[in-house]
Amino acid sequence: MIATYIAGPISGNVETNKLAFFSAAEELAATGRVVLHSAGLPVGLTEPQYMDICYAMIRACNEIVMLPGWRNSDGATAEYYYAKKIGLKIVFVPTGIDIPYGVSLVC
């Protein structure tokens, strides 16, 4: 079983950014992967609480998929460096790709 964590920006254009997470998750799940991400977490936690949850999810995974714009997100950047530090496979989705319209994230 492959467990995949999806990282990327959520703040800013929240609804569009969350759609990117859910679209990527749907495609990855169709390959048999177990997919985890933060876009479905409840509103109202502190930033440290969100990061604690996300780090636990990352530890449970074999790979991390970095959505476009991740470098502009402090949280996603922290997730990238954490995943790198613990030796996860890192997959980058190219900038300018519209995930809901047929991008293949499967490597």
Side-chain angles (χ1 to χ4, degrees):
M1 169 203 66
I2 298 174
T4 303
Y5 183 82
I6 300 172
I10 293 179
S11 300
N13 192 344
V14 176
E15 293 309 313
T16 299
N17 290 341
K18 283 187 175 187
L19 176 62
F21 278 83
F22 289 111
S23 296
E26 184 177 329
E27 181 178 340
L28 290 164
T31 69
R33 286 171 165 80
V34 174
V35 182
L36 303 172
H37 60 79
S38 62
L41 294 176
V43 175
L45 299 174
T46 65
E47 198 66 26
Q49 289 171 321
Y50 284 120
M51 292 309 299
D52 190 40
I53 294 166
C54 292
Y55 286 156
M57 288 192 285
I58 291 168
R59 283 192 303 274
C61 290
N62 310 95
E63 62 186 8
I64 186 169
V65 170
M66 306 303 298
L67 297 178
W70 70 271
R71 289 182 187 269
N72 298 322
S73 165
D74 290 343
T77 299
E79 292 167 343
Y80 163 79
Y81 283 108
Y82 185 66
K84 183 176 178 181
K85 181 70 175 174
I86 65 171
L88 267 60
K89 175 182 175 184
I90 301 173
V91 178
F92 299 93
V93 177
T95 301
I97 299 298
D98 194 351
I99 292 168
Y101 296 101
V103 169
S104 177
L105 299 177
V106 180
C107 300

